[in-house]
Amino acid sequence: MNMTKHTFHETDEVLLRALQEDIGSGDVTALSLIEDGDMSEAVIIAKGDLVLAGLQFAERVFYLVDDRVAFRALKKEGSRIRKGEKIAKIRGKTGSLLSAERTALNILQRTSGIATLTREYVNAVKGFRVMITDTRKTAPGLRFFDKYAVRTGGGRNHRFGLYDGVLIKDNHIAAAGGIGKAVRRVRSGAHHLLKVEIETGSMSEVRDALKAGADVIMLDNMPEERMKKAVHLIRSTDGPVTIEASGGIDLNNVRRVAGTGVDLISVGALTHSAPAADLSLEFLSR
Amino acid sequence: MNMTKHTFHETDEVLLRALQEDIGSGDVTALSLIEDGDMSEAVIIAKGDLVLAGLQFAERVFYLVDDRVAFRALKKEGSRIRKGEKIAKIRGKTGSLLSAERTALNILQRTSGIATLTREYVNAVKGFRVMITDTRKTAPGLRFFDKYAVRTGGGRNHRFGLYDGVLIKDNHIAAAGGIGKAVRRVRSGAHHLLKVEIETGSMSEVRDALKAGADVIMLDNMPEERMKKAVHLIRSTDGPVTIEASGGIDLNNVRRVAGTGVDLISVGALTHSAPAADLSLEFLSR
Amino acid sequence: MNMTKHTFHETDEVLLRALQEDIGSGDVTALSLIEDGDMSEAVIIAKGDLVLAGLQFAERVFYLVDDRVAFRALKKEGSRIRKGEKIAKIRGKTGSLLSAERTALNILQRTSGIATLTREYVNAVKGFRVMITDTRKTAPGLRFFDKYAVRTGGGRNHRFGLYDGVLIKDNHIAAAGGIGKAVRRVRSGAHHLLKVEIETGSMSEVRDALKAGADVIMLDNMPEERMKKAVHLIRSTDGPVTIEASGGIDLNNVRRVAGTGVDLISVGALTHSAPAADLSLEFLSR
Amino acid sequence: MNMTKHTFHETDEVLLRALQEDIGSGDVTALSLIEDGDMSEAVIIAKGDLVLAGLQFAERVFYLVDDRVAFRALKKEGSRIRKGEKIAKIRGKTGSLLSAERTALNILQRTSGIATLTREYVNAVKGFRVMITDTRKTAPGLRFFDKYAVRTGGGRNHRFGLYDGVLIKDNHIAAAGGIGKAVRRVRSGAHHLLKVEIETGSMSEVRDALKAGADVIMLDNMPEERMKKAVHLIRSTDGPVTIEASGGIDLNNVRRVAGTGVDLISVGALTHSAPAADLSLEFLSR
Amino acid sequence: MNMTKHTFHETDEVLLRALQEDIGSGDVTALSLIEDGDMSEAVIIAKGDLVLAGLQFAERVFYLVDDRVAFRALKKEGSRIRKGEKIAKIRGKTGSLLSAERTALNILQRTSGIATLTREYVNAVKGFRVMITDTRKTAPGLRFFDKYAVRTGGGRNHRFGLYDGVLIKDNHIAAAGGIGKAVRRVRSGAHHLLKVEIETGSMSEVRDALKAGADVIMLDNMPEERMKKAVHLIRSTDGPVTIEASGGIDLNNVRRVAGTGVDLISVGALTHSAPAADLSLEFLSR
Amino acid sequence: MNMTKHTFHETDEVLLRALQEDIGSGDVTALSLIEDGDMSEAVIIAKGDLVLAGLQFAERVFYLVDDRVAFRALKKEGSRIRKGEKIAKIRGKTGSLLSAERTALNILQRTSGIATLTREYVNAVKGFRVMITDTRKTAPGLRFFDKYAVRTGGGRNHRFGLYDGVLIKDNHIAAAGGIGKAVRRVRSGAHHLLKVEIETGSMSEVRDALKAGADVIMLDNMPEERMKKAVHLIRSTDGPVTIEASGGIDLNNVRRVAGTGVDLISVGALTHSAPAADLSLEFLSR
């Protein structure tokens, strides 16, 4: 990612809060033990296989603790890292490295964990013209980081939030009094650069969505056979409707879902249940 | 948890940021479709088994979106919930419910996921006088929530951050020039209400830590046999030293670790790799 | 507007800053002169014709100064107000009314000024199926208010910012190396719920935009005749392309522009050059 | 203006909010289209005649987006710029220039618009020993910028807010129970470095203000003849009373008001109704 | 003080920061020991004689911790309290009272300490028409509270900061190139509602200040005899010049300084060296 | 102190607030009088004897006003300074020096005042193995600074707040239903790295505290004889209990308290009643 001051404005608020909750009124161990002039060198090492994502956030954490820390990336974002490989080399005051260590690893293990899981899904559908996308099921306050990790793992982002995309669900339709009314209202309320996606669960809902002129149709929690039929129906209609599969998709069934011919498969687990990547900071002996 | 204004001051910063990243300049779908006066009733439902934690945070999200939303908890914090059970009932403006839905579920699925995993570890060591504790490996900015979830799941908290507990590691000892020096320095630098914990990996390090007068000794990444020996050595010494096991502990080996006689077992996975609890908000039909 | 706690979160930051810059360390005149128990009643009065917008923001200012002030709206948002008409009645501590007065009027005179000018443009194109929209040319920090005022005046909003709509301009095309490449890149980078708008100035650019598959085509600063030709060309093509006219449009020529058959006319002046509505707060004699 | 870190502290809050409301979760067009290494050069050009004010704020916006952008001012603050003249040259990453463009122009067009209108009023009273001043009728949150623009246009500032100047109006007098009482109270409540100004509408009020010992007398909304009489009366009194004219003054009558002999003429329109200066950012061809 | 929402906006930032630095991640003693439903009653008691100031701030601290705490003032602001007297009665959750206790007392002991010392100075000059004022020598971030305490103790405030009063010192004069030039520049740069005060140390400086037309003359660090001469000289001149004595004034010499006939005596010690008032919170036995 | 970016994050919030409350909308005197290019040199001078503490905070204030100001420390933190000695030399824009002056001195006079008083207490107990510690009785929002000053003066810090140390008082014991219960609850509620201190006033409470297994016992407001007995009793017990004396200790009796054999003596006056150090900024003549 192209990190500019503006991006830092976005990330720093989170990273400073994370540092604050870890360091608080001071790292009592380091403050007592480490002399001010003491310098160290350390490396970030993979303790398991992973896809690297978010190294610039880890770097930023060290910078926010002490801007004289030197940080050198040894691996590229999005690259596959094997257990035991070194990811970055860091040099600076021992006290600064110790104070930043945990916060830097905490963000990096999360973003790399998400990228690693995303890569697995992307690999599982290799050969199909389908995109793996995330959802809005991210950790509170960390959406910017979580969505970046999905992209770095090879996935695509869905809408960022409720403000940059229209997605009409059951309850919207019920409240509006029918699908046609719902689409009309949204077309006149939302600005002209937003498409309209409609969530469907049954074939009759798919037909209604098509009739109402949806730009995108989501097939939510459909069994595989129904999904196939829905894709066939939509593709046989005039106009370029995008199809998204969603709900109950995991590594066991994602390839079969891809086989139904949908354009996008959205997976909540990417951001809410990815295990952390295993990483540690090791100090080089003096 | 006893939620007072002060607690809200702590949590609201995170929850408002989460709402902001989801709602941003406005929920375009709801703003276009839902009429201002439209009211709905909805329930939070478990879509899988789980231990409930953090319902008050979900309630707070609805309150922060619209303080006229009525929220009624149907289950207690820390209780075991079965798939299909209703957890809370919510009534208010349809637009408010839809705007708060995702953010409320995002926090609740995380805290309940952590509590659920913690409960598994606690159950796995049943019968032993040992405590399962968390670590500082939490999601950036969410430590308050993550640590609460661990307690609610039946675990204990380790130190909250670098500021409220002393933990001397290899690098501290190297920088201080020996373990004895390190402990002396920390005793004169830290205030008199903090104990001193020392991380050890070998029997000779355990002996050094005992000699240096550690209050707590951490056995880090030790094989089971060495751990047993270490516990034996420490227990045969004068003085009430607390013993913590740490590193590479999972649900497969946690009971064997407990069997070594340690006082605490700290598990990073509780907060960095707990899968989200499966929850949804369902609107009651009109 | 449906003001909920979330909306206040958005508006209060601006209104509190405005109060802070006006009141600072205290209203020295009122603090010295007005006794704490002194109560007053006052009305907001139109000193010229206007379209009312933002009365809830003015109310909020009084509330933020003193939550015991009673504020009663006498007119509806979006309604036409004649010179001399009373818009709201306010009762509370004299000191609170005096401290809030200027800040409340400052926001109300701006939003009503924008709504009033928007209404003039909307009336000028009556009879045509065309929408008047705003631009991103808003006062720094006040976009939420400015865009609300445009809607209240009868206009439509364009995209809120750079994040919720794609608009490809000359410089993007030059940097991407051609219009086709630019559209392809944006379709694979932006999420699937965003349409793509392309800015054009000549007939050949219009043709290129059509070929590249633009969802929306902006006719920027085109003379009327060329605009007509462009509309004709676009309408004679397959597919539902939306057409926006932009640049150099004022009350003198807006009706002729509407006559060319475009779908939207965007007008920067709505938010950057609308004269303030003339309003004052008058205290009722005791 | 001498911009130091302290000034930036004041301005950055507003400019960062403005950037945030424009860029939000990211400039989707630029992020998709522009490669990270792509560099551009651009100029800010006047599309109409104007008085330049606030170029350092525009520069700051580019800096806040990307601190490696090079910004070179070609014109001086307060100078008269002709249509077509270049005002500044900017070089940096294409993505950074595009992301900062609108926010930079939005502040510059406002401050230059205010300076331009102020200059017209100042020129209109050339030859008289009178000062054109602003009022507190500024855009919410932008008072620092608006007042700077008035000074740059050749005007003078009135008090900055309610905290740095005493101005007694009708309602204060009514609440205090008479003008004499009001002045006594304010002299004992406000600190000894603040003068006391009293608003008057009739000759009898002017006489009362003189008797009460006002340092400054405001003639509010007085017809020209009465204003002349009031000035005559005040000047014939002992002591150096400053006279301010206020209310209903525009470019048509400002010179006649100056002719009455007042010391200051305050004009609300300077900051609430100045049309934006017409400016654009043009990229130099590669 | 008339506490409105606006005042709270000013004070809460400081009080919440104070609570945050005291409570941080939680009151571990109270959280462990006190059951949620446990209620207590407590009183604030004077452990020494004092002048009460700032009780509303202490009340606010309890409110910010828990808005269900009931707080009843038993004494009035500015009143003289004898050792052993009860000042307020508080009832609420035991945990809330314990968490708020120290922060509430910390602010109250400071503001009452300042008021008590101020009262001593005011009493020391009884019989003279002179005012005791504070300076800008306040604790960082606490000026609002410190200046309130001075007023409550019977003193007067000097200017609040560098922005609401003009005070020309040696260095200003040197930089401006003479006192006449300095006054002229300031009269044309500052707005028309600010008076001009000049600091003087010698009789010749007093004469210069008079000639330059100072509104207020400060006699800084002058021996008593010179001060008398200076007062005599200034009083014998035409025009209402205010005289301030400043520098090296303490309780031993303040009455003699008052005897020289000055109008104001400013005392830095009021806010930088007042000993804390002795107060404690005592829980009523159950 | 080792000032890193993280430390500045802690201090800058307070120092910027202090600058804001002093400078506000601008230093009207300096802005009017001082030309932008005017440069000055100045020194911070001791006007009385003092122990220096917090010079880096004063330096930071100048930096926050203008990062081109050059600041050179002439004395070391913690060193004894005689009246008339120069402490630091500062060079930069005259306007910047004048705007920062008061805020820089305000923090420095407070921290040096605290260090000076602390040193007096430390010297008063010379020869005894006892530590002088602070309390939580600090100025609201300034605990970080106040506690740093105590350390610099030669004292030790007590717990920083309610979150990093357990101290059980009367009311806790009453609420818990006995001292044994209280200690048990706190040991199971607080994490394992925190010691438990119990406040006692009588010999029987001391005995209870010993029996309950306190790590630290506070002798609160005990007469000297009782204190001696308590120390004797505690020392004759098995186990390394730390003893703290607290309450009613001043420079007159502190040496006698030290003579009782306690380990720590905590003194509230260090931070709530230390008179400010006498310091001034003097400009070097040109």
Side-chain angles (χ1 to χ4, degrees), chain A residues 15-132:
Chain A
L15 300 180
L16 286 169
R17 182 182 159 90
L19 280 167
Q20 188 54 33
E21 71 187 9
D22 197 39
I23 305 185
S25 43
D27 176 347
V28 282
T29 314
L31 285 175
S32 308
L33 283 180
I34 311 294
E35 280 171 69
D36 191 15
D38 198 62
M39 303 293 288
S40 287
E41 208 161 5
V43 287
I44 298 180
I45 288 192
K47 313 277 280 192
D49 291 359
L50 58 91
V51 172
L52 181 66
L55 195 55
Q56 71 277 34
F57 305 138
E59 177 178 3
R60 187 69 180 172
V61 170
F62 285 99
Y63 175 84
L64 289 171
V65 165
D66 182 350
D67 56 4
R68 286 155 304 185
V69 168
F71 186 104
R72 189 152 59 84
L74 304 174
K75 298 288 178 184
K76 286 212 177 139
E77 289 290 291
S79 65
R80 183 108 220 143
I81 311 291
R82 298 286 152 202
K83 179 176 176 174
E85 287 192 284
K86 291 174 190 164
I87 292 169
K89 200 160 202 172
I90 306 155
R91 192 179 152 70
K93 291 195 175 183
T94 307
S96 299
L97 300 201
L98 287 166
S99 294
E101 173 182 0
R102 187 71 261 141
T103 304
L105 292 179
N106 279 356
I107 184 64
L108 186 60
Q109 73 189 9
R110 178 173 179 85
T111 38
S112 293
I114 291 172
T116 304
L117 185 59
T118 303
R119 185 66 53 87
E120 289 185 56
Y121 276 87
V122 168
N123 287 342
V125 300
K126 208 157 257 177
F128 289 101
R129 273 179 60 101
V130 71
M131 292 175 299
I132 299 296

Side-chain angles (χ1 to χ4, degrees), chain D residues 61-135:
Chain D
V61 169
F62 284 99
Y63 175 84
L64 289 171
V65 165
D66 181 352
D67 56 4
R68 288 155 302 185
V69 167
F71 187 103
R72 191 151 58 83
L74 304 174
K75 298 288 179 184
K76 286 215 178 136
E77 288 292 291
S79 66
R80 183 108 219 143
I81 311 290
R82 296 287 152 201
K83 179 176 175 174
E85 286 193 283
K86 292 174 189 165
I87 292 170
K89 198 161 204 170
I90 306 156
R91 191 178 154 70
K93 290 194 176 185
T94 307
S96 299
L97 300 202
L98 288 166
S99 294
E101 173 182 0
R102 185 73 262 142
T103 304
L105 293 179
N106 279 356
I107 184 63
L108 187 59
Q109 74 190 9
R110 177 171 180 88
T111 38
S112 294
I114 291 172
T116 304
L117 184 60
T118 304
R119 184 68 53 86
E120 289 185 57
Y121 275 88
V122 169
N123 287 343
V125 299
K126 210 157 256 177
F128 289 100
R129 270 177 63 99
V130 71
M131 291 175 298
I132 299 296
T133 78
D134 52 28
T135 64

Side-chain angles (χ1 to χ4, degrees), chain A residues 146-247:
Chain A
D146 287 5
K147 294 223 157 207
Y148 166 78
V150 167
R151 288 199 305 277
T152 306
R156 288 281 301 270
N157 292 335
H158 207 290
R159 60 177 174 171
F160 200 91
L162 294 166
Y163 57 89
D164 67 338
V166 172
L167 178 45
I168 301 178
K169 305 191 177 186
D170 274 19
N171 303 301
H172 295 107
I173 295 170
I179 197 168
K181 244 182 179 169
V183 173
R184 270 197 304 283
R185 277 208 204 154
V186 108
R187 291 238 190 259
S188 84
H191 66 71
H192 65 288
L193 290 176
L194 296 179
K195 292 186 178 171
V196 173
E197 177 164 1
I198 302 180
E199 185 184 299
T200 64
S202 66
M203 289 306 292
S204 84
E205 285 175 10
V206 172
R207 272 185 288 271
D208 287 350
L210 278 171
K211 212 182 321 171
D215 298 305
V216 185
I217 293 179
M218 177 193 286
L219 312 179
D220 190 45
N221 267 307
M222 282 194 189
E224 207 184 316
E225 279 316 300
R226 193 188 303 158
M227 212 181 267
K228 271 188 192 159
K229 266 198 232 164
V231 172
H232 184 77
L233 172 65
I234 299 168
R235 293 295 187 233
S236 64
T237 318
D238 228 47
V241 174
T242 302
I243 310 175
E244 173 181 352
S246 174

